[in-house]
Protein backbone atom coordinates (compact mmCIF):
# COMPACT_ATOMS: atom_id res chain seq x y z
CA UNK A 1 0.00 0.00 0.00
CA UNK A 2 1.29 3.44 -0.90
CA UNK A 3 1.22 5.61 2.22
CA UNK A 4 1.93 8.98 0.67
CA UNK A 5 0.06 11.63 -1.28
CA UNK A 6 0.39 11.35 -5.06
CA UNK A 7 2.40 14.53 -5.68
CA UNK A 8 4.70 14.28 -2.65
CA UNK A 9 7.84 14.63 -4.76
CA UNK A 10 6.54 17.07 -7.39
CA UNK A 11 9.47 19.35 -8.31
CA UNK A 12 12.06 17.08 -6.64
CA UNK A 13 14.95 15.43 -8.43
CA UNK A 14 16.75 12.32 -7.23
CA UNK A 15 19.64 10.06 -8.28
CA UNK A 16 19.38 6.34 -7.55
CA UNK A 17 22.61 4.44 -8.19
CA UNK A 18 22.08 0.93 -9.51
CA UNK A 19 18.54 2.04 -10.35
CA UNK A 20 18.32 -0.15 -13.45
CA UNK A 21 17.48 -3.33 -11.52
CA UNK A 22 16.20 -4.78 -8.26
CA UNK A 23 15.64 -2.58 -5.25
CA UNK A 24 17.09 0.51 -6.96
CA UNK A 25 14.55 0.18 -9.73
CA UNK A 26 11.76 -0.20 -7.17
CA UNK A 27 12.76 2.96 -5.31
CA UNK A 28 13.29 4.93 -8.53
CA UNK A 29 9.84 3.82 -9.68
CA UNK A 30 8.25 4.92 -6.41
CA UNK A 31 9.90 8.35 -6.53
CA UNK A 32 8.79 8.77 -10.15
CA UNK A 33 5.28 7.66 -9.21
CA UNK A 34 5.20 10.38 -6.55
CA UNK A 35 6.11 13.02 -9.13
CA UNK A 36 9.91 13.24 -8.94
CA UNK A 37 12.31 13.49 -11.84
CA UNK A 38 14.74 10.62 -11.45
CA UNK A 39 18.25 9.79 -12.62
CA UNK A 40 19.40 6.17 -12.52
CA UNK A 41 22.90 4.87 -13.18
CA UNK A 42 24.64 1.55 -13.68
CA UNK A 43 27.45 -0.02 -15.69
CA UNK A 44 25.17 -1.75 -18.19
CA UNK A 45 23.98 1.02 -20.47
CA UNK A 46 21.17 -0.96 -22.12
CA UNK A 47 19.78 -2.05 -18.75
CA UNK A 48 19.51 1.50 -17.35
CA UNK A 49 18.18 2.81 -20.68
CA UNK A 50 15.43 0.23 -20.79
CA UNK A 51 14.42 0.81 -17.17
CA UNK A 52 14.42 4.60 -17.61
CA UNK A 53 12.15 4.27 -20.62
CA UNK A 54 9.74 1.99 -18.77
CA UNK A 55 9.61 4.10 -15.61
CA UNK A 56 9.18 7.36 -17.51
CA UNK A 57 6.30 5.90 -19.49
CA UNK A 58 4.60 4.29 -16.50
CA UNK A 59 4.82 7.42 -14.36
CA UNK A 60 4.63 10.17 -16.95
CA UNK A 61 7.77 11.87 -15.64
CA UNK A 62 11.35 12.34 -16.73
CA UNK A 63 13.68 9.44 -15.92
CA UNK A 64 17.24 9.72 -17.21
CA UNK A 65 19.61 6.78 -17.65
CA UNK A 66 23.32 7.33 -17.11
CA UNK A 67 25.93 4.67 -17.83
CA UNK A 68 28.44 5.09 -15.04
CA UNK A 69 30.84 2.86 -13.14
CA UNK A 70 30.90 4.26 -9.61
CA UNK A 71 34.29 2.61 -9.02
CA UNK A 72 35.84 5.26 -11.27
CA UNK A 73 36.09 8.69 -9.59
CA UNK A 74 36.34 10.59 -12.90
CA UNK A 75 33.26 8.82 -14.24
CA UNK A 76 31.37 9.75 -11.08
CA UNK A 77 32.50 13.39 -11.41
CA UNK A 78 31.38 13.47 -15.06
CA UNK A 79 28.00 12.00 -14.17
CA UNK A 80 27.44 14.43 -11.31
CA UNK A 81 28.52 17.42 -13.42
CA UNK A 82 26.06 16.40 -16.09
CA UNK A 83 23.25 16.06 -13.55
CA UNK A 84 23.99 19.29 -11.68
CA UNK A 85 24.28 21.20 -14.97
CA UNK A 86 20.56 20.54 -15.24
CA UNK A 87 20.09 21.77 -11.67
CA UNK A 88 20.99 20.42 -8.22
CA UNK A 89 19.31 17.19 -7.21
CA UNK A 90 17.41 17.00 -3.92
CA UNK A 91 18.50 13.53 -2.95
CA UNK A 92 20.76 10.56 -3.61
CA UNK A 93 20.12 6.88 -2.98
CA UNK A 94 23.35 4.91 -2.65
CA UNK A 95 21.97 1.59 -3.80
CA UNK A 96 24.56 0.20 -6.27
CA UNK A 97 26.50 -2.73 -4.87
CA UNK A 98 28.25 -5.96 -5.67
CA UNK A 99 28.26 -9.12 -3.61
CA UNK A 100 28.67 -12.89 -3.67
CA UNK A 101 28.88 -15.59 -1.07
CA UNK A 102 32.26 -17.22 -0.65
CA UNK A 103 34.35 -18.69 2.08
CA UNK A 104 36.70 -15.88 3.06
CA UNK A 105 39.70 -18.22 2.78
CA UNK A 106 38.86 -18.69 -0.92
CA UNK A 107 38.89 -14.94 -1.69
CA UNK A 108 41.76 -13.40 -3.63
CA UNK A 109 42.67 -9.73 -3.12
CA UNK A 110 40.88 -9.13 -6.45
CA UNK A 111 37.78 -10.86 -5.13
CA UNK A 112 37.78 -8.62 -2.06
CA UNK A 113 38.37 -5.54 -4.19
CA UNK A 114 35.60 -6.50 -6.63
CA UNK A 115 33.15 -5.84 -3.79
CA UNK A 116 34.96 -3.16 -1.79
CA UNK A 117 35.68 -1.04 -4.87
CA UNK A 118 31.97 -0.81 -5.65
CA UNK A 119 30.45 -0.65 -2.19
CA UNK A 120 33.01 1.08 0.01
CA UNK A 121 34.96 3.26 -2.44
CA UNK A 122 32.32 3.81 -5.14
CA UNK A 123 29.61 4.83 -2.68
CA UNK A 124 31.97 7.31 -1.07
CA UNK A 125 32.89 8.82 -4.46
CA UNK A 126 29.21 9.36 -5.29
CA UNK A 127 28.39 10.80 -1.86
CA UNK A 128 31.35 13.17 -2.02
CA UNK A 129 30.58 14.30 -5.57
CA UNK A 130 26.99 15.15 -4.61
CA UNK A 131 27.81 16.54 -1.15
CA UNK A 132 30.42 19.05 -2.23
CA UNK A 133 28.07 20.39 -4.91
CA UNK A 134 25.20 20.71 -2.42
CA UNK A 135 27.44 22.56 0.04
CA UNK A 136 28.69 24.89 -2.71
CA UNK A 137 25.12 25.55 -3.91
CA UNK A 138 23.80 25.87 -0.31
CA UNK A 139 21.24 23.24 -1.24
CA UNK A 140 19.31 21.30 1.39
CA UNK A 141 19.53 17.61 0.46
CA UNK A 142 19.24 14.01 1.51
CA UNK A 143 21.28 10.83 1.23
CA UNK A 144 19.93 7.33 1.79
CA UNK A 145 22.39 4.44 1.66
CA UNK A 146 21.17 0.88 1.25
CA UNK A 147 23.12 -1.28 3.71
CA UNK A 148 22.44 -4.67 5.30
CA UNK A 149 21.81 -5.80 8.85
CA UNK A 150 25.31 -7.32 8.74
CA UNK A 151 26.61 -3.89 9.76
CA UNK A 152 25.50 -4.81 13.28
CA UNK A 153 26.06 -8.57 13.60
CA UNK A 154 28.69 -9.29 10.94
CA UNK A 155 28.46 -11.16 7.67
CA UNK A 156 30.11 -14.59 7.61
CA UNK A 157 30.65 -15.71 3.99
CA UNK A 158 30.00 -12.14 2.79
CA UNK A 159 32.91 -10.47 4.57
CA UNK A 160 33.91 -7.89 1.90
CA UNK A 161 30.29 -6.72 1.68
CA UNK A 162 29.78 -6.67 5.44
CA UNK A 163 33.04 -4.73 5.98
CA UNK A 164 32.20 -2.25 3.23
CA UNK A 165 28.62 -1.70 4.33
CA UNK A 166 29.80 -1.28 7.94
CA UNK A 167 32.08 1.48 6.68
CA UNK A 168 29.11 3.16 5.00
CA UNK A 169 27.17 2.91 8.24
CA UNK A 170 29.88 5.00 9.89
CA UNK A 171 30.02 7.33 6.88
CA UNK A 172 26.29 7.93 7.42
CA UNK A 173 26.75 8.77 11.08
CA UNK A 174 29.88 10.87 10.55
CA UNK A 175 28.55 12.98 7.70
CA UNK A 176 25.16 13.37 9.39
CA UNK A 177 27.02 15.45 11.95
CA UNK A 178 29.57 17.09 9.66
CA UNK A 179 27.02 18.13 7.03
CA UNK A 180 24.05 18.95 9.31
CA UNK A 181 25.07 22.61 9.25
CA UNK A 182 24.66 22.51 5.46
CA UNK A 183 21.14 21.09 5.65
CA UNK A 184 22.23 17.69 4.38
CA UNK A 185 20.72 14.64 6.04
CA UNK A 186 22.16 11.13 5.74
CA UNK A 187 20.28 8.01 6.73
CA UNK A 188 20.47 4.36 5.76
CA UNK A 189 18.20 1.40 5.25
CA UNK A 190 19.25 -2.13 6.19
CA UNK A 191 16.89 -4.44 4.29
CA UNK A 192 16.43 -8.07 5.17
CA UNK A 193 15.70 -10.44 2.30
CA UNK A 194 13.84 -8.81 -0.60
CA UNK A 195 14.34 -11.35 -3.41
CA UNK A 196 15.92 -9.83 -6.54
CA UNK A 197 17.59 -11.54 -9.48
CA UNK A 198 20.93 -9.79 -8.81
CA UNK A 199 21.12 -10.77 -5.15
CA UNK A 200 19.67 -14.26 -5.40
CA UNK A 201 22.01 -15.31 -8.25
CA UNK A 202 25.00 -14.39 -6.07
CA UNK A 203 23.77 -15.09 -2.56
CA UNK A 204 21.36 -17.93 -3.07
CA UNK A 205 22.46 -19.68 -6.26
CA UNK A 206 21.23 -23.09 -5.14
CA UNK A 207 17.74 -21.86 -4.54
CA UNK A 208 17.49 -20.18 -7.92
CA UNK A 209 18.11 -23.58 -9.50
CA UNK A 210 15.58 -25.38 -7.40
CA UNK A 211 17.56 -25.68 -4.20
CA UNK A 212 19.88 -28.39 -5.47
CA UNK A 213 22.94 -26.78 -3.89
CA UNK A 214 21.34 -26.94 -0.49
CA UNK A 215 22.43 -23.40 0.37
CA UNK A 216 19.83 -20.99 1.66
CA UNK A 217 16.90 -22.54 -0.16
CA UNK A 218 13.79 -20.98 1.30
CA UNK A 219 15.37 -20.22 4.65
CA UNK A 220 15.15 -16.47 4.12
CA UNK A 221 11.40 -16.77 4.59
CA UNK A 222 11.10 -19.69 6.97
CA UNK A 223 13.79 -18.41 9.37
CA UNK A 224 12.20 -15.00 9.51
CA UNK A 225 10.14 -14.18 12.63
CA UNK A 226 7.36 -12.99 10.30
CA UNK A 227 7.71 -16.14 8.16
CA UNK A 228 8.15 -14.21 4.95
CA UNK A 229 10.52 -12.10 2.87
CA UNK A 230 10.04 -8.36 2.41
CA UNK A 231 7.52 -6.86 0.04
CA UNK A 232 8.86 -4.22 -2.31
CA UNK A 233 6.17 -1.70 -1.38
CA UNK A 234 7.35 -1.86 2.24
CA UNK A 235 10.84 -0.84 1.16
CA UNK A 236 9.46 1.80 -1.22
CA UNK A 237 7.53 3.37 1.65
CA UNK A 238 10.55 3.58 3.95
CA UNK A 239 12.70 5.04 1.17
CA UNK A 240 9.99 7.63 0.56
CA UNK A 241 9.60 8.54 4.22
CA UNK A 242 13.33 9.08 4.69
CA UNK A 243 13.57 11.18 1.53
CA UNK A 244 10.53 13.36 2.23
CA UNK A 245 10.36 16.86 3.65
CA UNK A 246 8.80 16.60 7.07
CA UNK A 247 11.29 14.31 8.74
CA UNK A 248 13.99 16.98 8.66
CA UNK A 249 15.22 16.25 12.20
CA UNK A 250 15.97 12.59 11.37
CA UNK A 251 19.60 12.03 10.47
CA UNK A 252 22.43 9.58 11.07
CA UNK A 253 20.10 6.60 11.50
CA UNK A 254 20.26 3.15 9.94
CA UNK A 255 16.85 1.52 9.96
CA UNK A 256 16.43 -2.24 9.57
CA UNK A 257 13.45 -3.44 7.56
CA UNK A 258 13.71 -7.20 7.93
CA UNK A 259 10.72 -8.54 9.87
CA UNK A 260 12.94 -8.81 12.94
CA UNK A 261 15.27 -11.34 11.28
CA UNK A 262 18.59 -10.00 12.48
CA UNK A 263 17.36 -9.65 16.04
CA UNK A 264 16.45 -13.34 15.84
CA UNK A 265 19.96 -14.25 14.64
CA UNK A 266 18.89 -15.25 11.13
CA UNK A 267 20.18 -12.22 9.31
CA UNK A 268 23.30 -13.70 7.74
CA UNK A 269 24.83 -16.79 6.19
CA UNK A 270 26.21 -18.56 9.28
CA UNK A 271 24.35 -21.75 8.29
CA UNK A 272 26.68 -22.12 5.29
CA UNK A 273 29.36 -23.48 7.62
CA UNK A 274 27.92 -26.93 6.78
CA UNK A 275 29.01 -26.82 3.12
CA UNK A 276 32.08 -28.63 1.81
CA UNK A 277 34.61 -28.01 -0.99
CA UNK A 278 32.57 -29.41 -3.88
CA UNK A 279 29.47 -27.49 -2.89
CA UNK A 280 31.47 -24.26 -2.71
CA UNK A 281 33.01 -24.97 -6.13
CA UNK A 282 29.50 -25.50 -7.55
CA UNK A 283 28.33 -22.23 -6.01
CA UNK A 284 31.31 -20.39 -7.44
CA UNK A 285 30.59 -21.72 -10.94
CA UNK A 286 26.93 -20.70 -10.79
CA UNK A 287 27.83 -17.17 -9.65
CA UNK A 288 30.49 -17.01 -12.38
CA UNK A 289 27.88 -17.90 -15.00
CA UNK A 290 25.60 -15.10 -13.76
CA UNK A 291 28.50 -12.60 -13.73
CA UNK A 292 29.57 -13.55 -17.26
CA UNK A 293 26.07 -13.03 -18.63
CA UNK A 294 25.90 -9.56 -17.01
CA UNK A 295 29.43 -8.60 -18.09
CA UNK A 296 28.61 -9.40 -21.73
CA UNK A 297 26.09 -6.54 -21.60
CA UNK A 298 28.52 -3.86 -20.41
CA UNK A 299 31.56 -2.11 -21.76
CA UNK A 300 33.42 -1.57 -18.44
C1 LIG B 1 35.11 -16.25 -5.00
C2 LIG B 1 34.88 -14.74 -6.73
C3 LIG B 1 33.53 -15.13 -6.94
C4 LIG B 1 33.01 -16.17 -6.09
C5 LIG B 1 34.02 -13.56 -8.37
N1 LIG B 1 35.13 -13.77 -7.64
N2 LIG B 1 33.04 -14.37 -7.95
N3 LIG B 1 35.66 -15.29 -5.78
N4 LIG B 1 33.81 -16.68 -5.14
N5 LIG B 1 31.75 -16.58 -6.18
C6 LIG B 1 36.44 -13.12 -7.81
C7 LIG B 1 37.03 -13.46 -9.17
O1 LIG B 1 37.68 -14.74 -9.16
C8 LIG B 1 38.03 -12.32 -9.36
O2 LIG B 1 39.21 -12.51 -8.63
C9 LIG B 1 37.30 -11.15 -8.72
O3 LIG B 1 36.31 -11.70 -7.83
C10 LIG B 1 36.62 -10.27 -9.74
O4 LIG B 1 35.75 -11.07 -10.51
P1 LIG B 1 35.04 -10.53 -11.82
O5 LIG B 1 34.06 -11.54 -12.25
O6 LIG B 1 36.07 -10.05 -12.79
O7 LIG B 1 34.32 -9.22 -11.23
P2 LIG B 1 33.46 -8.09 -11.91
O8 LIG B 1 33.15 -8.40 -13.34
O9 LIG B 1 34.09 -6.80 -11.54
O10 LIG B 1 32.05 -8.24 -11.14
C11 LIG B 1 31.87 -7.72 -9.86
C12 LIG B 1 31.11 -8.68 -8.97
C13 LIG B 1 29.77 -9.13 -9.66
C14 LIG B 1 30.85 -7.97 -7.67
C15 LIG B 1 31.99 -9.91 -8.76
O11 LIG B 1 29.10 -10.02 -8.78
C16 LIG B 1 28.86 -7.98 -9.97
O12 LIG B 1 29.01 -7.31 -11.02
N6 LIG B 1 27.87 -7.69 -9.10
C17 LIG B 1 26.89 -6.59 -9.28
C18 LIG B 1 25.51 -6.99 -8.86
C19 LIG B 1 25.41 -7.66 -7.52
O13 LIG B 1 26.38 -8.23 -7.00
N7 LIG B 1 24.22 -7.66 -6.97
C20 LIG B 1 23.93 -8.24 -5.70
C21 LIG B 1 23.88 -7.20 -4.65
S1 LIG B 1 23.04 -7.97 -3.37
P3 LIG B 1 40.59 -13.08 -9.35
O14 LIG B 1 41.59 -13.11 -8.24
O15 LIG B 1 40.22 -14.43 -9.88
O16 LIG B 1 40.92 -12.09 -10.44
C22 LIG B 1 23.50 -7.60 -1.87
C23 LIG B 1 22.50 -8.19 -0.91
C24 LIG B 1 22.88 -8.16 0.48
O17 LIG B 1 24.46 -6.93 -1.63
C25 LIG B 1 21.87 -8.69 1.48
C26 LIG B 1 20.98 -9.84 1.18
C27 LIG B 1 20.15 -10.29 2.35
P1 LIG C 1 20.95 -5.85 -7.99
O1 LIG C 1 19.68 -5.86 -8.76
O2 LIG C 1 22.07 -6.70 -8.47
O3 LIG C 1 21.41 -4.35 -7.85
C1 LIG C 1 22.73 -3.89 -7.86
C2 LIG C 1 22.80 -2.75 -8.85
O4 LIG C 1 24.05 -2.06 -8.68
C3 LIG C 1 22.72 -3.19 -10.29
O5 LIG C 1 21.78 -2.42 -10.99
C4 LIG C 1 24.13 -2.93 -10.85
O6 LIG C 1 24.08 -2.56 -12.22
C5 LIG C 1 24.57 -1.77 -9.95
N1 LIG C 1 26.03 -1.68 -9.87
C6 LIG C 1 26.88 -2.64 -9.46
N2 LIG C 1 28.15 -2.22 -9.57
C7 LIG C 1 28.08 -0.96 -10.04
C8 LIG C 1 29.07 0.01 -10.39
N3 LIG C 1 30.37 -0.26 -10.23
N4 LIG C 1 28.67 1.21 -10.84
C9 LIG C 1 27.34 1.47 -11.00
N5 LIG C 1 26.37 0.61 -10.70
C10 LIG C 1 26.74 -0.60 -10.24
O7 LIG C 1 20.69 -6.30 -6.48
P2 LIG C 1 19.66 -5.76 -5.38
O8 LIG C 1 19.24 -6.93 -4.59
O9 LIG C 1 18.62 -4.91 -5.99
O10 LIG C 1 20.61 -4.86 -4.46
C11 LIG C 1 20.45 -3.46 -4.38
C12 LIG C 1 20.99 -2.95 -3.05
O11 LIG C 1 20.25 -3.50 -1.98
C13 LIG C 1 22.45 -3.30 -2.79
O12 LIG C 1 23.07 -2.23 -2.11
C14 LIG C 1 22.34 -4.48 -1.88
O13 LIG C 1 23.48 -4.65 -1.09
C15 LIG C 1 21.14 -4.07 -1.05
N6 LIG C 1 20.47 -5.15 -0.33
C16 LIG C 1 19.69 -6.03 -1.03
C17 LIG C 1 19.00 -7.00 -0.33
C18 LIG C 1 18.09 -7.98 -1.01
O14 LIG C 1 17.54 -8.83 -0.35
N7 LIG C 1 17.89 -7.89 -2.32
C19 LIG C 1 19.13 -7.07 1.06
C20 LIG C 1 19.94 -6.16 1.71
C21 LIG C 1 20.59 -5.17 1.01
P3 LIG C 1 25.29 -2.89 -13.25
O15 LIG C 1 25.70 -4.30 -13.00
O16 LIG C 1 24.68 -2.63 -14.58
O17 LIG C 1 26.37 -1.91 -12.92
Amino acid sequence: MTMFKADLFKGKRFLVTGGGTGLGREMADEYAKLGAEVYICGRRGPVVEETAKELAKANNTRVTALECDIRVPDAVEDMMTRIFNEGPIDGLVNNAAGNFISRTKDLSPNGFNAIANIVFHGTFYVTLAAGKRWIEAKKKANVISILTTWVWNGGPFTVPSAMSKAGLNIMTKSLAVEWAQHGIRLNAIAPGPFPTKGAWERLNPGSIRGGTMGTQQDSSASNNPMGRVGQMQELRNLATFLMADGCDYLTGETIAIDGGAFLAGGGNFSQLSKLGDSEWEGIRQMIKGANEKDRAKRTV
Side-chain angles (χ1 to χ4, degrees):
M1 183 182 70
T2 307
M3 299 165 66
F4 303 94
K5 61 178 183 174
D7 62 349
L8 184 74
F9 288 142
K10 194 107 211 127
K12 301 281 188 190
R13 303 168 67 249
F14 303 126
L15 166 63
V16 181
T17 67
T21 63
L23 305 190
R25 181 189 164 119
E26 294 285 338
M27 291 182 280
D29 186 34
E30 189 69 13
Y31 293 158
K33 192 163 94 187
L34 295 170
E37 270 188 35
V38 183
Y39 294 86
I40 57 174
C41 75
R43 292 166 300 176
R44 287 167 295 170
V47 171
V48 276
E49 287 289 346
E50 184 62 27
T51 297
K53 244 189 260 158
E54 288 170 13
L55 299 192
K57 189 163 172 227
N59 299 299
N60 195 25
T61 187
R62 184 167 175 234
V63 180
T64 306
L66 300 163
E67 185 178 311
C68 177
D69 185 342
I70 66 165
R71 293 172 296 189
V72 182
D74 286 350
V76 170
E77 273 296 309
D78 289 350
M79 171 176 72
M80 215 54 92
T81 300
R82 188 180 150 189
I83 294 173
F84 274 71
N85 280 345
E86 297 180 356
I89 44 172
D90 298 275
L92 160 69
V93 181
N94 285 319
N95 164 82
N99 204 352
F100 52 74
I101 46 167
S102 172
R103 290 182 294 195
T104 303
K105 78 177 185 61
D106 297 337
L107 287 175
S108 64
N110 273 349
F112 178 85
N113 290 337
I115 307 301
N117 286 346
I118 304 172
V119 181
F120 188 68
H121 294 272
T123 305
F124 178 76
Y125 301 151
V126 179
T127 308
L128 175 65
K132 67 184 185 189
R133 285 171 173 80
W134 285 325
I135 292 167
E136 170 78 25
K138 298 191 169 23
K139 170 85 180 159
K140 184 180 151 193
N142 249 311
V143 178
I144 300 172
S145 296
I146 308 302
L147 307 182
T148 69
T149 56
W150 310 331
V151 304
W152 296 303
N153 64 353
F157 305 103
T158 56
V159 166
S161 167
M163 288 171 65
S164 300
K165 299 269 191 188
L168 300 182
N169 191 37
I170 286 302
M171 178 188 81
T172 299
K173 293 183 187 311
S174 308
L175 292 181
V177 175
E178 190 175 329
W179 289 354
Q181 62 176 312
H182 302 295
I184 301 169
R185 294 194 292 124
L186 294 98
N187 291 291
I189 297 175
F194 285 74
T196 63
K197 182 172 178 295
W200 259 234
E201 280 179 347
R202 295 170 176 94
L203 300 173
N204 207 355
S207 165
I208 216 156
R209 283 168 170 74
T212 49
M213 293 303 299
T215 55
Q216 275 227 299
Q217 300 191 8
D218 295 324
S219 62
S220 3
S222 57
N223 287 344
N224 189 289
M226 292 193 183
R228 65 171 176 90
V229 295
Q231 292 170 8
M232 292 301 178
Q233 189 61 52
E234 295 167 333
L235 177 77
R236 285 168 173 246
N237 289 342
L238 179 56
T240 297
F241 172 75
L242 289 175
M243 193 59 99
D245 292 338
C247 63
D248 299 327
Y249 212 42
L250 201 170
T251 196
E253 289 299 321
T254 298
I255 301 175
I257 176 164
D258 72 340
F262 102 88
L263 294 172
N268 62 38
F269 289 98
S270 50
Q271 72 279 17
L272 300 187
S273 302
K274 299 193 243 9
L275 303 188
D277 288 343
S278 64
E279 285 156 314
W280 276 107
E281 185 50 34
I283 285 171
R284 190 178 183 130
Q285 290 313 319
M286 285 195 279
I287 294 171
K288 198 169 163 215
N291 285 342
E292 276 165 6
K293 263 196 266 148
D294 282 0
R295 202 177 309 110
K297 292 189 202 137
R298 54 179 223 247
T299 54
V300 285

